[in-house]
Amino acid sequence: MNLNNIHNIYFVGIGGIGMSAIARYFNATGKYVAGYDKTKTDITEALKEIGVNVHFEDAVENIESQFLDPEKTLVVYTPAIPKNNKELNYFNANKFTILKRSEILGLITENTYCLAVAGTHGKTTTTSILGHIMRECNVPLTAFLGGISENYSSNLILNGDEVSVVEADEFDRSFLTLSPDLACITSMDADHLDIYGDASELVKTFEDFAKKLKPNGKLFVKNGLPLKGITYGIEDDADYAVQNIKIENGTYVFDVKMPNTILKQVKFNLPGRHNLSNALIALAMAVEYGLPKPQLAKALASYKGVKRRFTYQIKTNELVFIDDYAHHPEEIKAVHQAVREMYPEDKVLVVFQPHLFSRTKDFGVEFAQSLSMFDEILLLDIYPARELPIEGINSKWLLNKINNPKKQLIEKSEIINKIKASKAKIILTLGAGDIGAEVKIIKQALINEN
C-alpha cells in the first residue's frame, strides 16, 4: 500500500498511547484524521487541540461522511478493541482497508532507516532517550513513543522522515511487522502468557524478531540474554558497559566503555540501574548509527524522562511522592532498587494496582515477593483491562501471598486517608491501570496536607 495515495485515516481506539502517536504523525503530515475511543482522557483532549476529531460513543452515525468511502479511507485499529465494536464491524462489512496499529507502523517505517527497541521492560524509556538524543543531534527522524516524553510533552518526536525510532512491541507478536536496520532487545522475561502460553514461546518470538533485521542490520542484546549480538551491560564485560558509577546530587555520573574508546563523566538524571541500562543501550545504538559521542553525552544529560516512569510528583525534604507504570514483578523490583538507592534510610509505602487477572495469576508468587520488599503495602483491586475475571484470582488472593505484616487491601476511595495515616516518607503509586488517574488527586491532597 502506498500511504501517499491515502488522504483519510480513521482510528478505532485512537486514545491508546501507541495509536495516538500514529494519529499525530498522520495529522502532522497533512492527512485528514479522526477516530473513536471509549474514554475521554488527557491524550484525546490533546488530539482535539491539534484538530483531530474524537468521539466517545461507538456508533456508525458518529463517523464523519468523508470517512465512509472505502476507496479513500484507511482504517487503523488496536487489538484492545472488543469484537462487538459497531464501528469496526461496519468497516469490516463494507470492505474497507483495515490495518492493525503494528501493521501501519511497519508500513510507515519500511522506507526509512529504522531503529527499533524491543524487550519486555524498558521499551518506552529507551525509545524516548534514543529519540531525544538523536533529535538533539538534529537527525531527520520521527520517533513513535509508548509514553509521553517530559522533554516534548508528546508521544511523537517529529524532525523529518528519513529515520524512524520505534517501540517494537511483543504483545500479540506485533513487532514482527517491522524490518529494522538497528534493533535492541532489553529483556525477555515471561509476560503476556495469555497470548503466548509459556515463556519458551515468547523467547522464540524474540528470536523471530531478531531475524527481521534488514541485511547488514545490527542487533544489540542485554548481556546474558541467549541471543547473539552486540552486548551491553552494567559493570560487566559487555561490548558497551557502564563503569565507575557515582551518584552526585541525585544524578548518575559514569564512564561508558565502548569497543574502541571510553566516554568519561557521562551524566544521566533518572534514578535506578534499569534506567542506567536503558540510557546505555540508547547511547550504543546512536553511536553505531554514527553520531558524535561528545554531542550524544551532552544530549543524554538533558533528558528528562517519560510521564509515569519514576515520575516525581512531590520531592521535598519531608515527603517524596513518585508515580510509576510498573505492572510486572521485575519492574516493581527495579523501582524498589531505584528508591532504596536514592533513599536508603527512609520508609517506603507502595500503593499497587494489579493489571490483568491472567498476569496476576501467572506471577502471583513473584508479585508477592517483589511487593514484600517495601515497608508498607496498600493493594487495590485488579484492573481487568481487556479481560473477564478468573475464578479465585483476586487481590485478596494476592494479599495472602505477601510476606509482610504491614499490608492492606483497600478501595481507591481510601488511598489518601491511608497514605496520611502512614509514617512513610516515600510514597509510590504503581500500576498500568486507571491508578494513573488518581495521581493528580493524591498529589493535591498531600500538598494541601503539608
Side-chain angles (χ1 to χ4, degrees), residues 295-336:
Q295 205 173 336
L296 286 170
K298 186 181 172 197
L300 191 62
S302 68
Y303 175 76
K304 294 179 187 169
V306 177
K307 281 188 171 53
R308 299 218 64 224
R309 302 301 195 282
F310 211 95
T311 302
Y312 282 101
Q313 300 292 331
I314 298 172
K315 191 178 185 183
T316 68
N317 291 332
E318 293 74 42
L319 180 72
V320 175
F321 173 27
I322 297 162
D323 175 49
D324 195 281
Y325 187 71
H327 57 286
H328 183 282
E330 290 301 318
E331 294 167 349
I332 295 170
K333 277 191 209 166
V335 170
H336 178 266

Side-chain angles (χ1 to χ4, degrees), residues 1-22:
M1 176 187 292
N2 187 344
L3 291 173
N4 294 329
N5 299 335
I6 299 285
H7 301 294
N8 304 318
I9 304 181
Y10 189 85
F11 287 79
V12 184
I14 197 167
I17 193 75
M19 289 280 278
S20 59
I22 298 171

